[in-house]
Amino acid sequence: MAERPEDLNLPNAVITRIIKEALPDGVSTSKEARSAISRAASVFVLCATSCANSFAMKGKCKTLNASDVLSAMQEVELQWFMTPLKEALEAYRREQKRQEGSCDFFGKRDSETATLIGQFDLSCLLTRIVRQLLIPSFPPHPPKK
Amino acid sequence: MAALAAGKGAFREEEGTGGDAAAPQLHAPTSAPGARLSRLPLARVKALVKADPDVTLAGQEAIFILARAAELFVETIAKDAYCCAQQGKRKTLQRRDLDNAIEAVDEFAFLEGTLD
């Protein structure tokens, strides 16, 4: 799927809300400044991804994981991000475990940590499960002569 | 710039000691079921990660942490830019405040020349 330029921008409404909550009441932000901060955040994600990927490749791992991102934060000297990020990660894992507990119908979830880029698609997963259920356990009958 | 550095130190401490506690409960990472853990949509962050040709696979946790880090980054840079606006006795953040903050803070050096 071709990436449109706007796909690489973060939503303006969310960026505006984050800025508003970070600043004291009564402080406003010009449209130009908001737009620049949004672009800066996109550049930040791209740089952090590249740095994290370097750590993943050093560990001979093809999958980018949370510890690679945390290492990247230290590498770019944003150590003060570590505590809130670790707390957020713990909360995220607790939430994932809670959701897993309510998804036992399909049995134990397969390795959930690796998500192939471009295949994060629930419909593909469901199709695979249905196919597995429909495949007969014995070989098909030979064709009639 | 000393004021900016001092302000930077104060803001860093606030973030380090659970600055999220001051944020509305809905946005803070909590263990309450259904609580929103990330304000930025993970799909958009994933699109940015996917834009890197060297990245093959990315775990969901990595996408989430990048989203959360981006939020913290936006908060940090907004606060640093506000320090510059305060020095100019203004209550409206302008683009030049952001440029000054990028120039003043070493950690934002990667942004130089990228926002034009």
Side-chain angles (χ1 to χ4, degrees), chain A residues 44-59 61-73 75-76, chain B residues 49 52 55 57 62 65-66:
Chain A
F44 169 78
V45 172
L46 291 169
C47 287
T49 299
S50 178
C51 192
N53 197 45
S54 303
F55 281 100
M57 291 202 295
K58 266 186 207 169
C61 186
K62 283 188 179 177
T63 306
L64 206 64
N65 57 37
S67 62
D68 297 323
V69 178
L70 290 172
S71 302
M73 293 299 110
E75 181 72 13
V76 299
Chain B
V49 171
D52 189 331
V55 173
L57 297 165
I65 282 295
L66 278 167

Side-chain angles (χ1 to χ4, degrees), chain B:
Chain B
M1 292 309 168
L4 177 64
K8 181 180 89 165
F11 287 137
R12 299 289 177 266
E13 279 178 45
E14 185 184 333
E15 283 297 338
T17 53
D20 279 337
Q25 187 67 19
L26 181 64
H27 298 149
T30 68
S31 57
R36 185 185 294 186
L37 298 172
S38 169
R39 286 173 283 191
L40 288 169
L42 298 190
R44 288 281 188 104
V45 176
K46 192 181 72 169
L48 279 164
V49 171
K50 190 178 164 182
D52 189 331
D54 296 329
V55 173
T56 317
L57 297 165
Q60 291 184 39
E61 287 185 355
I63 303 289
F64 169 74
I65 282 295
L66 278 167
R68 193 75 188 99
E71 289 174 28
L72 291 171
F73 174 80
V74 169
E75 290 173 10
T76 305
I77 201 168
K79 286 171 182 173
D80 285 339
Y82 178 57
C83 283
C84 297
Q86 276 185 312
Q87 287 174 1
K89 296 189 172 75
R90 281 178 283 104
K91 280 204 162 185
T92 300
L93 230 64
Q94 305 281 357
R95 169 63 197 266
R96 59 175 182 262
D97 299 320
L98 194 67
D99 292 334
N100 290 338
I102 289 170
E103 206 177 334
V105 179
D106 293 337
E107 289 82 356
F108 296 155
F110 69 92
L111 288 170
E112 283 176 11
T114 60
L115 302 184
D116 298 323

Side-chain angles (χ1 to χ4, degrees), chain A residues 15-35 37, chain B residues 77-86 89-98:
Chain A
I15 295 290
T16 302
R17 198 179 321 136
I18 296 172
I19 295 171
K20 194 172 174 213
E21 288 173 6
L23 299 178
D25 289 339
V27 176
S28 57
T29 315
S30 72
K31 194 175 169 188
E32 219 184 4
R34 276 201 305 270
S35 171
I37 290 177
Chain B
I77 201 168
K79 286 171 182 173
D80 285 339
Y82 178 57
C83 283
C84 297
Q86 276 185 312
K89 296 189 172 75
R90 281 178 283 104
K91 280 204 162 185
T92 300
L93 230 64
Q94 305 281 357
R95 169 63 197 266
R96 59 175 182 262
D97 299 320
L98 194 67

